[in-house]
Amino acid sequence: MRRRTFAAKDKIFLFLTVLSSILTVAIVVAMFIVLLIASLDAIKHFGVFHFIFHEEWNPPRHIFGGASSIYGTIMTTIIALLFAIPTSFGIAIFITQICPKSLKGIFSSAIELLATIPSIIYGMWGLFSLAPVMRNYIEPALQKVFFPIPGLRILFEGTPLGIDLLTAGLVLSIMIIPFIASIARDNFELTPKELSESAYAMGATKWEVIKDVIIPYSKVGLLSGIIIATGRALGETMAVAFVLGNDHSIHLSLLKSSTTIAVTLANEFTEADFNLYVSSLFYLGFILLFLSFFLLSIAKFLVKKGAKRDG
Amino acid sequence: MDRIKKRKIANKIALSLSVFAACLGLFWLVFIILSVLQKGFSAINWSLFLKDPAPPGFSGGGLRSAFVGQGIITVIASIVGIPIGIMGGTFLAEYGRNSKFSKLVSDIADIMISLPSIVVGTFVYSIMVRPMGHFSGYAGAVALAIIMIPTILRTTEEMLNLVPWELREAAFALGAPYYKVIKDVVYRSAAAGLFTGVLLGVARVATETAPLLFTSFNNPFFTINPNQPMPSLTVTIYQYAMGPYEEWHKLAWGASFVIVATVLFLSLIGRFLINRRFSKR
């Protein structure tokens, strides 16, 4: 009798664990299906090509084009990566190659703390502390430097407000630095000592060892780290919502307000008062989900390939 | 200039740049923490925790309702998310170890960890808020639970994988059924790791804003009924910081200060637990 209750409990336990793991996958599948169904109206109305490349987002006239949100999403992400990649690699090099052993732990923790600060705080800090500095000092200085250079002038046109693509990209970059830096650090540390030591033995300088041995050896890991960070930057909402303004038009200048998919959703979702509007917002959400899932899958694939090679 | 000299100069420049990058990273951290300290500390007083928001334009008032709402939403999310995460992770590490299915679940969970949280919000909006016809604390909690599950699932899987197989065999030899082995032997020896995973999962969602914007929404009044729109600390910060009143900004900074202090404290505990775990082995 006791044995039978054991067997029954065993089965129930097994069932619950199976159910929980199936549920995890089911949530992702459901997310795709639900968002797709919710955006059907907009997909039928605007099509795929037209929605992605059409700029006008005009609720009163019932015209919705996602191009401005998609453009803002991609631009802020690119700016963030341009700032974050070199800085993160520098930090990783500093931690693994230069920093004295006793300070290593403290320094790594400090950089990782950047990742634990909530995005809403990044947003508030961006709006009240960083934006004034950008508006009053950095952006006017950039204009002074770049205006005489033909071709670059267009990137810095407009009155500096501090609430623009550049500031949003900068805030985003600070948020993704800890991700790229910690993955880069781990990968640098995985490089076999024999490789770098033999390079030193041949008279290479520290920088040459980093550039020619360590970075090539860890490139798969570095790439996947960058892709994961890209995914983060694409979907980040609150930090960007504060410092990007919410302007549905496409400007080349980095000193102009813009919007991203996530910011549009955050600002307009509860205001959308007719079906096509809501559906268009869902459509944007679906595009964001699709983009992020696609990118993160590539990163996952790369990590696996890298692990296979090392194993 | 000879080649060696050139190489040495390049070396110096590159290494200095990396030191500069490291300083830049620290600079941002200090800049953010100092801003929050400077602007938030003065807003910390008892009424921040004990009073409800004053009407716009009136001075005084606090964020009691937001603190309570945040607590309730996080607790419900934990009640839903923690068991699912732990049970799912248990399947991957125990019953399904090395099977194709558990590798798939593991990969998908890894991807889920980085999916934009706002998309989860829109998803929960359409499966809960729309059918129910109103925003609610429950919907917010479900959104947070969905974000929490993959983190807990993956850490559980990893922590259980670290438990030596011989321990289970010893328990099997005594005639214990598998569920008891897991419950009394495996969970117990992985307890610190599981706890860390849960802490990470809860900490990750406790400060989320985006998915709450259209699930629990907000509510200017004090409520402990999760079936109603519920205020949360983060959404309140968002509204107050974006609002036009100086009073509101002050409250928002005060709340930010509390959040940053809590987050720093929690991550210190987490780090302590991880360190202890690894120094034991």
Side-chain angles (χ1 to χ4, degrees):
Chain A
M1 193 62 209
R2 247 189 94 147
R3 184 162 297 169
R4 200 177 300 160
T5 52
F6 272 157
K9 279 189 186 167
D10 226 9
K11 269 189 194 144
I12 295 172
F13 191 81
L14 172 63
F15 174 74
L16 288 177
T17 61
V18 177
L19 192 70
S20 304
S21 53
I22 291 178
L23 193 66
T24 311
V25 183
I27 291 171
V28 178
V29 178
M31 253 156 73
F32 273 99
I33 295 173
V34 166
L35 292 194
L36 183 63
I37 292 174
S39 38
L40 273 182
D41 268 357
I43 295 175
K44 271 188 211 142
H45 208 273
F46 301 111
V48 177
F49 191 81
H50 186 258
F51 187 77
I52 293 178
F53 291 100
H54 192 71
E55 179 186 346
E56 189 178 354
W57 181 270
N58 194 337
R61 289 184 56 210
H62 291 219
I63 294 174
F64 297 99
S68 55
S69 300
I70 295 170
Y71 172 79
T73 308
I74 293 173
M75 278 308 283
T76 47
T77 305
I78 290 176
I79 297 169
L81 288 172
L82 284 179
F83 286 130
I85 293 174
T87 315
S88 312
F89 282 11
I91 290 173
I93 290 171
F94 176 79
I95 291 177
T96 54
Q97 312 292 324
I98 303 175
C99 185
K101 265 217 169 95
S102 53
L103 289 178
K104 241 181 182 176
I106 299 171
F107 204 89
S108 297
S109 309
I111 296 300
E112 275 162 24
L113 268 185
L114 279 175
T116 57
I117 293 175
S119 60
I120 183 99
I121 310 272
Y122 273 107
M124 252 190 101
W125 168 79
L127 178 63
F128 291 111
S129 298
L130 183 64
V133 177
M134 296 295 285
R135 177 180 59 227
N136 296 333
Y137 305 103
I138 298 182
E139 289 174 358
L142 286 173
Q143 287 188 326
K144 225 178 237 165
V145 174
F146 287 106
F147 264 24
I149 306 173
L152 288 181
R153 187 192 174 104
I154 196 164
L155 289 177
F156 297 94
E157 269 172 345
T159 319
L161 290 174
I163 311 267
D164 48 41
L165 278 169
L166 187 65
T167 311
L170 186 59
V171 174
L172 267 183
S173 82
I174 302 169
M175 297 184 72
I176 61 175
I177 281 173
F179 291 98
I180 309 182
S182 71
I183 292 175
R185 183 199 61 202
D186 293 347
N187 276 288
F188 288 172
E189 271 174 354
L190 283 177
T191 312
K193 279 264 155 357
E194 296 82 14
L195 282 183
S196 43
E197 272 161 15
S198 50
Y200 280 125
M202 288 171 59
T205 61
K206 209 165 212 177
W207 167 239
E208 283 162 350
V209 172
I210 295 167
K211 172 172 66 109
D212 299 327
V213 179
I214 295 179
I215 290 182
Y217 186 84
S218 29
K219 62 174 185 268
V220 177
L222 297 180
L223 190 61
S224 70
I226 292 171
I227 296 175
I228 290 172
T230 310
R232 282 269 147 150
L234 283 180
E236 174 49 44
T237 312
M238 301 323 293
V240 188
F242 278 92
V243 289
L244 192 53
N246 188 18
D247 180 9
H248 284 282
S249 47
I250 296 177
H251 303 283
L252 275 180
S253 171
L254 303 179
L255 305 189
K256 287 271 171 71
S257 288
S258 180
T259 188
T260 69
I261 296 178
V263 171
T264 304
L265 289 175
N267 282 327
E268 302 183 28
F269 208 84
T270 45
E271 286 169 14
D273 48 1
F274 54 93
N275 261 340
L276 191 63
Y277 195 173
V278 179
S279 182
S280 302
L281 287 169
F282 272 115
Y283 197 178
L284 282 179
F286 182 77
I287 292 173
L288 180 60
L289 176 66
F290 183 82
L291 265 179
S292 321
F293 197 89
F294 178 70
L295 269 179
L296 294 165
S297 309
I298 293 178
K300 193 77 219 160
F301 172 75
L302 282 176
V303 170
K304 283 209 151 165
K305 221 175 79 175
K308 229 174 237 163
R309 186 203 58 186
D310 294 341
Chain B
M1 199 165 24
D2 59 20
R3 251 178 73 92
I4 295 183
K5 213 169 190 182
K6 256 190 199 162
R7 287 169 53 205
K8 276 192 175 154
I9 291 174
N11 185 44
K12 277 232 168 86
I13 293 175
L15 295 186
S16 320
L17 281 176
S18 108
V19 175
F20 174 72
C23 294
L24 195 64
L26 272 194
F27 168 76
W28 293 127
L29 183 69
V30 173
F31 188 2
I32 294 168
I33 290 183
L34 281 186
S35 297
V36 176
L37 272 180
Q38 182 213 347
K39 292 182 177 154
F41 192 70
S42 60
I44 298 289
N45 51 37
W46 284 115
S47 63
L48 181 73
F49 301 99
L50 298 177
K51 283 194 181 152
D52 284 330
F58 285 80
S59 68
L63 296 173
R64 179 180 69 135
S65 52
F67 279 104
V68 172
Q70 182 86 50
I72 293 176
I73 293 172
T74 312
V75 167
I76 300 177
S78 307
I79 293 174
V80 179
I82 294 172
I84 297 179
I86 289 193
M87 293 301 262
T90 306
F91 176 79
L92 304 189
E94 299 290 332
Y95 299 102
R97 195 180 275 217
N98 295 327
S99 72
K100 270 204 175 135
F101 174 71
S102 63
K103 283 201 182 108
L104 176 78
V105 177
S106 219
D107 287 348
I108 288 189
D110 271 346
I111 293 174
M112 266 176 93
I113 289 177
S114 301
L115 281 183
S117 59
I118 193 154
V119 174
V120 177
T122 55
F123 169 64
V124 175
Y125 175 87
S126 38
I127 60 165
M128 281 185 79
V129 177
R130 251 189 186 172
M132 287 160 76
H134 59 88
F135 299 106
S136 69
Y138 287 129
V142 168
L144 295 192
I146 290 177
I147 298 170
M148 179 191 300
I149 289 169
T151 312
I152 299 182
L153 180 127
R154 288 289 286 127
T155 41
T156 304
E157 185 194 358
E158 274 165 26
M159 291 303 152
L160 297 192
N161 275 334
L162 289 177
V163 177
W165 196 250
E166 290 78 11
L167 266 184
R168 298 179 182 83
E169 280 171 356
F172 285 138
L174 291 172
Y178 202 175
Y179 87 92
K180 276 212 150 176
V181 175
I182 293 173
K183 188 166 67 86
D184 295 336
V185 178
V186 181
Y187 281 169
R188 195 161 292 180
S189 48
L194 295 185
F195 184 66
T196 313
V198 167
L199 206 66
L200 282 176
V202 176
R204 170 150 158 57
V205 302
T207 53
E208 276 289 351
T209 316
L212 296 180
L213 288 174
F214 22 81
T215 50
S216 63
F217 195 54
N218 204 348
N219 187 343
F221 306 108
F222 182 82
T223 175
I224 52 166
N225 177 6
N227 202 25
Q228 282 181 7
M230 247 190 168
S232 60
L233 215 43
T234 47
V235 175
T236 309
I237 292 179
Y238 181 49
Q239 289 188 342
Y240 279 22
M242 289 296 214
Y245 309 104
E246 210 34 59
E247 265 317 297
W248 279 16
H249 294 173
K250 212 178 144 192
L251 284 176
W253 280 110
S256 305
F257 178 85
V258 175
I259 291 183
V260 168
T262 316
V263 163
L264 292 185
F265 180 68
L266 281 180
S267 69
L268 277 179
I269 294 185
R271 210 163 293 278
F272 171 73
L273 283 175
I274 290 174
N275 282 343
R276 212 181 53 168
R277 197 186 155 70
F278 285 108
S279 59
K280 244 200 302 192
R281 281 191 294 133

